[in-house]
Amino acid sequence: AGLLTGRKAATNWKVIPMLREAGIEVVEERYVRDGKVWSSAGVSAGMDATLALIAEQAGESVAANVQHNAEYYPSQRIYGVEHRNEKSAAYFRSL
């Protein structure tokens, strides 16, 4: 559809190569905003992007309320070593 043409985008690590092959500038972050377009790297990263969007548009206190009601406080625990896979996004390979 061309929505990402000329924009930076985040995506799930499994499709990073596919988007790059399509000429999209992929940023290996949990989420990114480029102009009016927000993109994220997956389900939980989408929660992070949503909270950032809410904070930007409605304020930190509203985002805090949403976060609290959703009980979304990501754990720092990482299970196993799958995240270190060479195909994984750069932001979590080094964890």
Side-chain angles (χ1 to χ4, degrees):
L3 178 67
L4 298 177
T5 302
R7 296 189 183 276
K8 295 178 183 175
T11 191
N12 183 277
W13 65 272
K14 292 179 183 179
V15 294
I16 290 172
M18 184 175 68
L19 283 186
R20 286 188 172 148
E21 288 172 16
I24 305 301
E25 183 179 350
V26 177
V27 179
E28 294 186 41
E29 299 290 339
R30 288 187 58 76
Y31 67 90
V32 65
R33 177 186 180 200
D34 189 342
K36 294 181 178 184
V37 177
W38 292 72
S39 57
S40 70
V43 176
S44 64
M47 291 289 293
D48 295 341
T50 298
L51 289 169
L53 178 127
I54 292 167
E56 179 182 293
Q57 293 189 356
E60 294 257 339
S61 63
V62 175
N65 190 34
V66 171
Q67 183 179 38
H68 176 74
N69 285 303
E71 296 184 30
Y72 181 70
Y73 298 101
S75 167
Q76 296 301 311
R77 182 168 181 184
I78 297 172
Y79 298 90
V81 294
E82 289 299 315
H83 62 285
R84 295 188 185 142
N85 181 307
E86 66 184 33
K87 294 181 181 178
S88 297
Y91 71 88
F92 64 81
R93 271 196 315 263
S94 62
L95 297 176

